[in-house]
Amino acid sequence: MSARPLPAELAAVRALVADGLAEIGDAGDTGQVWLRSATARLTAFDQVVTEAAGVLAAPTRLILVTLATFLVVAGSAALAGALGLGSGGTLALSGTTLLIMFATIPWAGRHVYTLTGRRRLARAAAHLSPRPVRATSPEAGLAGVPDRLLQARVRLVSAALRQAGAGNWSAPELRRAIRTDPVVRRLAHADQLLCQAVDCVERHLGDLRKDPP
Amino acid sequence: MRSLVREDPFSGENRPRAAAIDRDLHAVITDAQSRDWSADRPDRVIFARLGQARRRVRAAAGRGGADRRPADPFAVLLGAVTGLLTATVLLLTGIPAKMLPPGDLPPHALPSGNAPAPAPPAGNTPSPAQPADNAPSPAPPAGNAPSPAQPADNAPSPAQPAGNAPSPAQPAGDVPANAMPAGDVPAPADVFPVTLPADAVPVIAPLPLALTAVAALWTALLAVALLRHLRRRWDRATVDGPAPIDDHYRYVAFRRRIEACAAAARHHRSHRRRAAAIDLEYALDWLAAAQSELPRH
């Protein structure tokens, strides 16, 4: 039972995934289509997890949006006054500026979340207990990668469930959380990418088993 | 060359669009993932493969990057409508302007004290008011207090309400009012001179307008929070049916729609649309790979 905050948990998940990625790179078959696909999925996973770790808390978001609205509307109204527009012109100018601001919020949010997530993950990784050097089973090699990634997935999903709240763990409530909650949505996307990477590595291993090189 | 493949008459669209396929795939994937998380129907392979298919379909639809669609379109619509209604009501009644005591405002926001302001709202007053506009500037206390007995204030006072709200005699103020976008805050220009008392703070001054916007924003967020609360209650009451990911017919429908989309794209004039057909064929491969993991009956 660990009640660690989300960035620490995500930093641990990232460390596990980085180990898996390094083992895929050590296997050397970078020309293989499945391994290349898995590497691409894991790279995208890293970005999504960074963004999920950086999502600001709801009160902070509320304050920021309120402040931005106030400043944008007051500024555009003052500008309209300076330009000498009438009341209709003032309303049109401030409304248009407000619409533009709301349209740029998702774009700006992605960048801000990536920045804060990078900082939070770095801080959490500094406090992380030093992990044992990987390759615990040297004979495993590529064959151990799916297990390692699935281990990371267990931690990721439990972090997502904790984020969704203990009260709503039934399937419809989780579906709603995946659709609406900003953190759970990104964690669900990351989980999907992780599953795709595991699937790709398993298909590569299945091909190897069918016709050994 | 519209469709080489006979389209499914029950798929609900006569020309399948990649964006619609993407949306339906997303619904199926989210459902499967929530069932996997709640250990209702544990499975990690099929939804991952459907996710790959969805990625290809998205690439074909030309939205390969991040998910730009709003996460919850209905909530966004509800918030926009609530915010617009609140803003309209506040603007028509002028409540934020009445709540502000006139002494707290900078003098240029007052109807008659435009002289010391660096950005006077009445800069477009007609030319007869211009010499009178400069007159009160050496005497700021006279400009702040609207007293009809003073000769310097008598000249601009009939011009001020016309400067704040566009009147037919003022061509500069009427042009932006006609060029307003359709989805914007409705501002009937002839309402404000009626509802605005002569000695009140104008609704259009920066501070009351910003307060109106913030109040509209908070009402919208409140409405969205209420919707979320209601939805949570409804979610507790819903009973889940069978998982759509187990439905073989759904895979068949998806295959037909993607095939029809690819057939329409394969003979398109634009080479970009023809390249989308390749993405759709990859999506078909992933769809078949997902279906092969289903338990056979």
Side-chain angles (χ1 to χ4, degrees):
Chain A
M1 178 71 199
S2 68
R4 285 196 285 174
L6 186 68
E9 198 69 20
L10 290 185
V13 169
R14 268 183 89 218
L16 278 173
V17 170
D19 283 357
L21 194 56
E23 281 191 6
I24 291 178
D26 286 350
D29 295 337
T30 46
Q32 295 290 332
V33 58
W34 292 124
L35 290 187
R36 255 191 296 145
S37 181
T39 310
R41 306 278 86 194
L42 289 183
T43 314
F45 167 86
D46 199 49
Q47 189 185 346
V48 174
V49 162
T50 307
E51 211 173 291
V55 174
L56 300 174
T60 318
R61 268 181 286 156
L62 176 66
I63 291 172
L64 283 182
V65 170
T66 303
L67 208 62
T69 305
F70 187 88
L71 289 182
V72 160
V73 171
S76 57
L79 180 68
L83 289 181
L85 301 177
S87 71
T90 310
L91 281 184
L93 182 66
S94 47
T96 313
T97 332
L98 202 60
L99 277 186
I100 292 173
M101 189 200 89
F102 279 124
T104 49
I105 276 182
W107 177 82
R110 265 205 305 279
H111 288 265
V112 170
Y113 292 166
T114 307
L115 283 182
T116 53
R118 219 171 273 156
R119 228 186 43 216
R120 284 182 190 171
L121 282 180
R123 202 185 307 145
H127 293 303
L128 211 60
S129 59
R131 298 175 44 75
V133 185
R134 62 187 174 82
T136 48
S137 54
E139 53 88 21
L142 199 56
V145 171
D147 283 342
R148 198 183 287 276
L149 292 184
L150 286 180
Q151 198 181 335
R153 185 185 179 226
V154 168
R155 298 188 74 158
L156 181 72
V157 171
S158 39
L161 288 179
R162 213 174 299 135
Q163 186 70 31
N168 31 16
W169 282 356
S170 74
E173 290 159 355
L174 280 179
R175 200 177 314 144
R176 183 72 66 193
I178 288 177
R179 279 204 196 122
T180 54
D181 190 296
V183 181
V184 179
R185 190 172 76 230
R186 289 176 170 88
L187 290 182
H189 188 201
D191 174 47
Q192 189 182 326
L193 290 172
L194 199 54
C195 286
Q196 288 171 358
V198 172
D199 185 34
C200 288
V201 175
E202 278 177 347
R203 285 182 96 166
H204 176 71
L205 290 177
D207 285 355
L208 283 187
R209 222 172 292 128
K210 250 184 283 177
D211 43 2
Chain B
M1 204 50 73
R2 176 154 299 185
S3 63
L4 297 177
V5 182
R6 194 175 66 82
E7 290 162 6
D8 182 12
F10 301 113
S11 72
E13 43 182 358
N14 46 8
R15 292 208 56 189
R17 288 173 49 236
I21 301 172
D22 167 37
R23 201 183 52 225
D24 294 350
L25 270 178
H26 182 54
V28 173
I29 292 167
T30 309
D31 181 84
Q33 197 169 15
S34 69
R35 284 168 198 265
D36 178 58
W37 281 11
S38 63
D40 183 7
R41 185 199 175 286
D43 159 67
R44 61 177 171 81
V45 179
I46 300 184
F47 88 82
R49 291 185 178 178
L50 281 183
Q52 300 261 24
R54 178 179 176 237
R55 188 175 133 252
R56 291 299 183 173
V57 171
R58 281 177 67 86
R63 27 169 107 173
D67 208 345
R68 280 190 198 85
R69 221 156 49 86
D72 196 352
F74 186 70
V76 170
L77 186 65
L78 176 75
V81 168
T82 316
L84 272 184
L85 280 181
T86 316
T88 312
V89 166
L90 285 182
L91 282 178
L92 287 183
T93 55
I95 288 177
K98 283 176 198 156
M99 272 175 16
L100 285 175
D104 285 353
L105 282 176
H108 70 273
L110 287 175
S112 67
N114 59 344
N124 58 349
T125 41
S127 50
Q130 286 301 330
D133 207 20
N134 294 331
S137 54
N144 276 338
S147 57
Q150 287 193 0
D153 270 335
N154 265 344
S157 53
Q160 282 312 315
N164 286 331
S167 63
Q170 204 176 5
D174 264 347
V175 172
N178 293 336
M180 243 169 54
D184 213 320
V185 183
D190 51 350
V191 172
F192 293 112
V194 179
T195 58
L196 199 62
D199 55 345
V201 179
V203 190
I204 305 304
L207 195 52
L209 200 58
L211 285 183
T212 306
V214 168
L217 173 74
W218 281 3
T219 321
L221 290 181
L222 204 65
V224 170
L226 193 66
L227 174 75
R228 197 160 290 173
H229 179 75
L230 283 180
R231 273 176 168 175
R232 197 166 297 147
R233 185 172 291 176
W234 295 335
D235 284 344
R236 295 232 165 88
T238 48
V239 180
D240 257 1
I245 200 173
D246 281 333
D247 189 1
H248 276 278
Y249 293 105
R250 206 169 280 253
Y251 289 87
V252 175
F254 273 132
R255 204 185 67 227
R256 279 197 186 148
R257 289 165 72 186
I258 298 176
E259 272 175 354
C261 206
R266 209 168 284 141
H267 299 281
H268 203 270
R269 279 173 312 171
S270 131
H271 69 278
R272 196 168 297 161
R273 292 290 303 278
R274 285 203 299 274
I278 301 175
D279 277 328
L280 290 173
E281 281 158 16
Y282 277 122
L284 282 176
D285 284 350
W286 278 113
L287 193 67
Q291 199 180 4
S292 70
E293 289 291 316
L294 281 182
R296 315 218 165 219
H297 297 295

